[in-house]
Structure formats: C-alpha cells, structure tokens
Amino acid sequence: MATLSSSRQKALLRKYARNLKFLMMVGSICLIVYALPKQAKFSYEIQEGRIWNQKDLISPYNFAILKTAQDIQNDKKNALASITPIYQLNIGVAQQLLEGFRNDLEIKWHNSGINDKQKEKYIAAGNNLLKEIYSRGVLVLNPKYQQGRQGYPITILEKNIATDKNTTELYTKEQALAYCSQLLSQRTDLDKAFLLDLLQNRIQSNIVYDDKLTARLEAEVLEGISLTHGMVQKGDIIIAKGSVVNDEAYQKLESYKKAFEDNARINGNPKLVLMGQFLLVSITIALLMIFLYLFRRDIYDDNRLVSLILLVITAMLFTLSMAIKMQLPNLYYIPYCIVPIIIRILFDTRLALNIHLLVVLIAGFFVPNSFEFAYFEITAGMVSIYSIKNLIRREQFLISAVIITFAYFVAFLGISLIREGSLVSLDWIGFIPFVVSVLLTLLAYPLIYLFEKIFAITSDITLIELTNTNAPLLREMAFTAPGTFQHSLQVANLAENAIYTIGGNALLVRAGALYHDIGKMENPLFFVENQSSGFNPHDKLPYEESAQIIIRHVYRGIEMAQKANIPEIVIDFIRTHHGNTRVDYFYQSFLKNFPEKIINENTFRYPGPIPFSKEAGVLMLADSVEAASRSLKEPDEKSISNLVDRIVKYKLDQNQLKDSNITLKDIETIKEIFKRMLMSIYHVRIDY
C-alpha cells in the first residue's frame, strides 16, 4: 500500500484544515454534552437569609416538605433510643456449669486437706450459690448502650417470650463473684478461698447480647422514619415576594426544587433537555472560535493550538460533570483556576480570561447557587491571570496560589456576611474546599510541561530555562565567542527594556536576543567583536566570500538551534534579526574596488525573512544599534542620538519593519530607550 510523503500530508492538512477544525468543535461539544447531567435546570436561586425578590411562588402541584438533614438525624437518634438491645437467655448454660462445678470439686477435693465428711456441705453450698446467681442472670455489659450509666434497659428473650429488664437487676461476673464472697464470709464452717476458687471458673454469662436481631430491629425502625413533614398543596403560596427566606421557607423551596427535578425527570422529554444543552454548549464554543478568528487569528489558523484549547475546556467540564454524578460533597474542591493559568502561560491574558468566563458560564447551569459560584470562580480566575501576568520566576506559582486563596477568602467572607449577617455564625469549615482547590491548581505546572511536549508549544517557563546563561548553547558561546556573548547580553537588555515599555513578550525577546547570534560560534574570529589581537581574517579573502561567511552565521545558527531542540518561536529570531538587508560593508567595498564588475546583489544580502512580530522587529533594531555603537570612537550624547536615529531610519527605509506591527509612536519610544541605555553603558554625562 502506497504511503503519502510528508509534504503531501502537510498539503492535505492545509487543504482540509477548516473541515478538521469543524470536526474538533463538534467533537468537543458532543463530549461536553454527553458528560453533563441530563436534568432540567431549576429556575430560581435559593439563598437562606435573603429577601425573596421574585414574584409570589405558587405551587403548580402537590409536594411533600422534606425534612432537613439535622431533623432526619435527630429522628434517627430518637428512633434508635427507643430500641432496647435484645439478649437471649441460654437455659442450658446453668446446668452445664453446675455439673462442671461438681466435677471440679471432685478433682480438687483430695488435695484440699478438708475432712471428707464436709464434702456434701461444700457441694450443696456451691450449687445453691450458682442456682441463685443463674436464676437472676449473668451478662456482659455493652459499652454502646451503657454510655457511662450504671445500667440500661434490655429485652430478654426466653423461648421467644420477651421480658423487659434493666441491667441493674442482673449480675455481671464481677458482681456475682462479689456476692458469693459476701455470703461465704458469713459461713465460718466453710473454707471460703477453696470454694471461691471453684466458683469463679463456673460463673459465665447465661444472658447473651443478640447483635443480629438488635441490628435488624434498628434497621426496621430507621426505614420507617419519614423523610418529610407536611405537604404543600397545589395552588398554595410557597413564598411571597419580599419575604425573608427563613429556615421554614428555605426547606419548602428546597423541597419544591427536588419535586421539580423529579417531575422533569419523569415527565420531561430527555431529548429536549439534550437539545438545550447542545445549544448552550454550541453557542459557547462558537463564541470562543469567533474570538480567536477576530482577535487571535494566528491561533485560529493553527488547528494544533485550537485542539489544545478545546481539550482543556472539555477536560474541565468533563471533570465537573463527573463530580456532580459522583455527588462530590462540595463542587468547590475542583480547581477551576487551573484553566486560566494554563491558557495564560501557554497563550495570553485576553484568551485566558475569555475561556475562563465561558467555562464558568457553562458550569453555572449545573451547579447549585449559580450566582455565588460564578462570583467565586470569575473573581478567582481573574486574580490568577493577573498574578502571573509576567512570569519570570518559578516561585510565582506559589505566590499566585497565595493570592488566589486570599481572593477566595475575601469573597467567602463577603458572601457569608451577606447571608448570615453575623461573624459568630460563619461556617469556617466551608472554606476548606477552596483551600484544597488552590492546592490542586498547582497541578498546572506539570500539565503545562506535558502540553508543551505534546503540542510543541513554548511557554514562559521554557523561556525562563532558555534564558539561563548556563544553558548548553549559551555556555558554549561564552567560551567560544566571548565577544558575541557579551554583544548578545547587551542586545537582550536593550530589546527587553524596549518591548516591555511598548508592550510585548519581554521574556521571549530576551531569549531571542541571547540566541540570535549562536551561528557565529562556527567562525568566531571572522566577527569583529571576537577579534582581540588586531588580526582580521577577512583581509585575505574576497569580498564575496567574506560576505557569505558573515551571512552563513544565520544558517548555522538555525542548524545549531534545531539540533539543540530550541523552540521554533526562538529560532525565528535567528532567521529574522538581519531581515533581507545587505552586508553593506563588503558590498560597498566591492563596488569601490571593482566598479567595472557586475555583481549579483543577492550575494551580499541576508536570506530573510524580515521580522513578522513586534518582538522580532525590536530585536533587529537593538542588534544593529548595539553593534554600531561599538564603532563610536568618542561616544557622547549627540553621537549616540545620531547613531540611533540613523540606524532606525535605515531599517525603515529598507522596509524591514513593515510586517512587525510596530507603530511610529513605538519607534519613537524605542529610540528614546536605546539612547538612554547606550549613554548609561558608555557613561555619558548629560548636560543639564
């Protein structure tokens, strides 16, 4: 079977990109709808202690008023208290132990040293004591029912005939032995120690706790507990407008909600519910795609990035749906802020906020107290995005977690005060789910790494690692081409300050600046910043060859970066930092020395492309300005200002910045920053 070539596969993917995007959208919508709970949505928000601002709520049908969980718990407690534990009377135990006593006495009598004529007296005394004890009954007290009391009521079954007694009317083994000791102390004609030794082995429980029968009775009583109290008749007012939602009204509303959902589940059309969910989710996904099309066309055109975004959204809503179906004690345990953090790190702030709002809107239809939920999660999501606006250190994740926790706390406190109207009655335990949610949000860190590897995306975290000067390529450049390394550091500082001021990814431009000249490591001495001895190898080469060596550092830089697995977004800075400009020094030298020769100008021109982003454009200017500033013999304010103006004008005249989205206002700002920084570098004193 024939296989498609790599180029053919890419061509097919480009041809059917729109169809593939549509299939991904439909697939995501179907997965979300499939996972969502299939039930009608109750129309009202119920908040205890608030004023009912809706119209009078009239019951459309009869329904029972559910008891509160506390009422049910109290009923269970009272019901269990009404059950007395069941004990079984074992008649055969007494006879067996009486016979055992007689046998023990026969065995130990010969060694007792007591006159044989006394034997029958001992047998009679022991039998009488045992018969008296067993006629009253011996049992083991159960701590479950005793609960620190001296005694507790029980029911004794003897041949299925029940008798109610209290354990104080019966003996425990210890009490029976104490009774025997007391009576034997009054018999001076008997050896008390000998007889007690025989009796203690023959006093056992003849009334035994029946665990199974007692448990069965308790279960029957619990099953008989009513879960409701009272009814609301059809046409009755459940709650009037302007009324306070007190405990009674709140329970009626909760009961109506349960009746509504049960009625909708039985009488409602599940296909219509499904259609409603499909429409809601479809609108949300469509709004997301419209946002990408209008404001982030670069992401919209890349199905790989679209698939990642849809995956994150689908995974979060699927997790929420599973939590609802599994009846998680509190839905705030779910780390909703993980979505905006991941999208912010991998993409940008606007997209992160947009996606977070859409996810919360969908989730709000399926969680209780939708408004409170939306307030908690929208504010926390916004805080999480703002807290990592510029990710330059790893510990910002922990700082962000602390800030999100504080935002949750403020929102929790505010909503609780509105609801309760008192600090004393605040349920501080209810804040624990938010803390757990924030801790789970830290899972964003490994997930970002995973998404980077799977979808070949470069996040700020990766850029932080790349800008570490101990990275392999940078370390090699510091030893192989120290002058180029210092030049790259200065360019990074210039470009980073400029892009930070005009708006852009400062971390990206710094990474691009540090790696833009790595190709010079192949022939470091052919570049002036690495020539320390005054020897210039270009002096012995034709101008065309010298130009090609200079131009080759772009090709070699791309090859080195790709071999070292540097992200493409950084390699683009290597490609574009010279655009398609000429190597003017060698070009002009050739024209001056060989005016009669015809030369192809492309021999002296970089391959391009020109910068196609604001960051790449700023880097091009910073690279040219920094390199040219080294040629200033007496750098002062005027010479530096003229130099910057001349180089920027040259780049503009050569149309090198037309695709970089840099405005004229940005150009003026960039020039001012370059001038100020270069004067600081060369210690120029400004007249004032």
Side-chain angles (χ1 to χ4, degrees), residues 199-219:
L199 289 174
Q200 70 176 355
N201 295 324
R202 295 303 168 183
I203 297 178
Q204 303 293 336
S205 301
N206 68 329
I207 299 176
V208 182
Y209 174 60
D210 192 332
D211 182 39
K212 291 184 178 179
L213 183 55
T214 305
R216 191 173 74 187
L217 288 176
E218 290 178 347

Side-chain angles (χ1 to χ4, degrees), residues 579-627:
N580 54 16
T581 56
R582 290 191 306 259
V583 186
D584 262 349
Y585 176 80
F586 294 110
Y587 178 69
Q588 296 298 336
S589 297
F590 180 87
L591 293 180
K592 181 179 179 180
N593 289 281
F594 304 101
E596 72 285 356
K597 288 188 178 180
I598 299 175
I599 184 67
N600 185 357
E601 186 180 301
N602 289 332
T603 303
F604 295 89
R605 191 175 292 278
Y606 286 98
I610 62 175
F612 46 82
S613 70
K614 185 182 292 188
E615 288 81 3
V618 169
L619 174 63
M620 169 184 275
L621 296 177
D623 177 46
S624 299
V625 165
E626 202 286 330

Side-chain angles (χ1 to χ4, degrees), residues 35-39 317-328 331 334 336 362-363 365-368:
L36 290 176
K38 302 298 181 290
Q39 64 184 44
L317 293 174
F318 189 86
T319 301
L320 173 64
S321 301
M322 291 300 102
I324 295 173
K325 291 179 180 179
M326 294 167 60
Q327 297 183 344
L328 196 70
L331 294 178
I334 300 173
Y336 301 97
I362 295 178
F365 276 96
F366 304 96
V367 299

Side-chain angles (χ1 to χ4, degrees), residues 487-508:
H487 161 71
S488 298
L489 288 175
Q490 295 287 14
V491 171
N493 292 333
L494 289 170
E496 185 177 21
N497 276 276
I499 203 68
Y500 185 85
T501 304
I502 67 172
N505 192 332
L507 200 55
L508 175 61

Side-chain angles (χ1 to χ4, degrees), residues 47 83 90 94 124 150 242 254 271 273 326 332 364-365 429 486 519:
Q47 295 183 355
I83 297 295
N90 192 336
Q150 187 175 0
E254 283 289 340
K271 292 183 179 178
V273 175
M326 294 167 60
Y332 289 111
F365 276 96
I429 301 298
Q486 292 301 320

Side-chain angles (χ1 to χ4, degrees), residues 67-74 251:
K67 293 180 180 178
T68 65
Q70 186 61 47
D71 289 340
I72 294 173
Q73 191 64 30
N74 292 336
Q251 205 55 35

Side-chain angles (χ1 to χ4, degrees), residues 259-476:
F260 171 84
E261 292 174 349
D262 290 343
N263 186 63
R265 192 179 299 112
I266 296 170
N267 301 321
N269 189 335
K271 292 183 179 178
L272 293 179
V273 175
L274 185 67
M275 179 180 293
Q277 290 183 344
F278 186 84
L279 291 175
L280 288 175
V281 177
S282 297
I283 291 172
T284 304
I285 298 299
L287 285 173
L288 170 63
M289 301 310 294
I290 291 171
F291 173 84
L292 293 177
Y293 182 83
L294 294 176
F295 303 106
R296 288 304 305 268
R297 191 62 181 268
D298 56 324
I299 298 176
Y300 178 84
D301 292 335
D302 192 335
N303 283 342
R304 173 177 51 90
L305 301 181
V306 172
S307 66
L308 169 58
I309 293 171
L310 293 176
L311 174 64
V312 172
I313 294 173
T314 305
M316 175 50 68
L317 293 174
F318 189 86
T319 301
L320 173 64
S321 301
M322 291 300 102
I324 295 173
K325 291 179 180 179
M326 294 167 60
Q327 297 183 344
L328 196 70
N330 194 314
L331 294 178
Y332 289 111
Y333 282 112
I334 300 173
Y336 301 97
C337 290
I338 203 170
V339 171
I341 287 177
I342 289 175
I343 300 299
R344 165 61 193 91
I345 297 299
L346 295 180
F347 297 101
D348 63 31
T349 300
R350 286 190 306 166
L351 182 58
L353 182 58
N354 188 280
I355 289 175
H356 183 59
L357 291 175
L358 295 178
V359 169
V360 171
L361 285 176
I362 295 178
F365 276 96
F366 304 96
V367 299
N369 295 327
S370 300
F371 175 78
E372 283 188 11
F373 170 83
Y375 185 84
F376 274 124
E377 301 310 330
I378 289 176
T379 53
M382 294 171 71
V383 168
S384 66
I385 294 170
Y386 301 158
S387 64
I388 52 173
K389 180 180 182 295
N390 293 305
L391 183 64
I392 56 176
R393 299 185 307 274
R394 295 176 187 274
E395 58 265 28
Q396 281 185 249
F397 275 108
L398 294 175
I399 297 172
S400 177
V402 173
I403 296 173
I404 295 170
T405 304
F406 180 74
Y408 270 135
F409 177 77
V410 173
F412 174 81
L413 183 62
I415 290 176
S416 297
L417 289 175
I418 291 174
R419 186 189 301 150
E420 304 293 341
S422 170
L423 279 172
V424 178
S425 58
L426 290 184
D427 179 20
W428 297 109
I429 301 298
F431 186 66
I432 292 177
F434 295 100
V435 177
V436 175
S437 172
V438 173
L439 293 176
L440 291 175
T441 300
L442 295 176
L443 290 173
Y445 190 85
L447 285 175
I448 289 169
Y449 177 80
L450 182 64
F451 289 143
E452 280 189 283
K453 297 303 178 184
I454 295 176
F455 293 93
I457 297 175
T458 304
S459 72
D460 287 354
I461 298 172
T462 299
L463 294 176
I464 290 173
E465 294 173 348
L466 289 174
T467 54
N468 185 345
T469 53
N470 285 317
L473 275 180
L474 298 182
R475 173 60 62 187
E476 182 182 353

Side-chain angles (χ1 to χ4, degrees), residues 511-641:
L514 290 175
Y515 287 88
H516 79 284
D517 269 346
I518 57 173
K520 292 181 179 180
M521 287 191 288
E522 183 183 50
N523 294 303
L525 293 179
F526 282 84
F527 299 90
V528 66
E529 65 266 24
N530 299 309
Q531 298 169 2
S532 58
S533 60
F535 170 72
N536 188 344
H538 288 290
D539 293 341
K540 299 181 179 181
L541 296 176
Y543 297 121
E544 305 96 304
E545 187 176 344
S546 291
Q548 285 301 304
I549 291 174
I550 299 299
I551 292 170
R552 194 181 305 142
H553 87 274
V554 173
Y555 296 107
R556 289 294 298 135
I558 295 171
E559 292 172 6
M560 289 179 182
Q562 289 174 340
K563 187 176 180 180
N565 294 318
I566 302 298
E568 281 296 317
I569 194 171
V570 177
I571 296 177
D572 285 338
F573 286 92
I574 303 175
R575 292 190 177 98
T576 61
H577 74 280
H578 284 295
N580 54 16
T581 56
R582 290 191 306 259
V583 186
D584 262 349
Y585 176 80
F586 294 110
Y587 178 69
Q588 296 298 336
S589 297
F590 180 87
L591 293 180
K592 181 179 179 180
N593 289 281
F594 304 101
E596 72 285 356
K597 288 188 178 180
I598 299 175
I599 184 67
N600 185 357
E601 186 180 301
N602 289 332
T603 303
F604 295 89
R605 191 175 292 278
Y606 286 98
I610 62 175
F612 46 82
S613 70
K614 185 182 292 188
E615 288 81 3
V618 169
L619 174 63
M620 169 184 275
L621 296 177
D623 177 46
S624 299
V625 165
E626 202 286 330
S629 68
R630 293 170 178 264
S631 64
L632 293 175
K633 295 181 180 179
E634 294 183 3
D636 54 25
E637 182 181 357
K638 183 178 180 181
S639 62
I640 289 175
S641 179

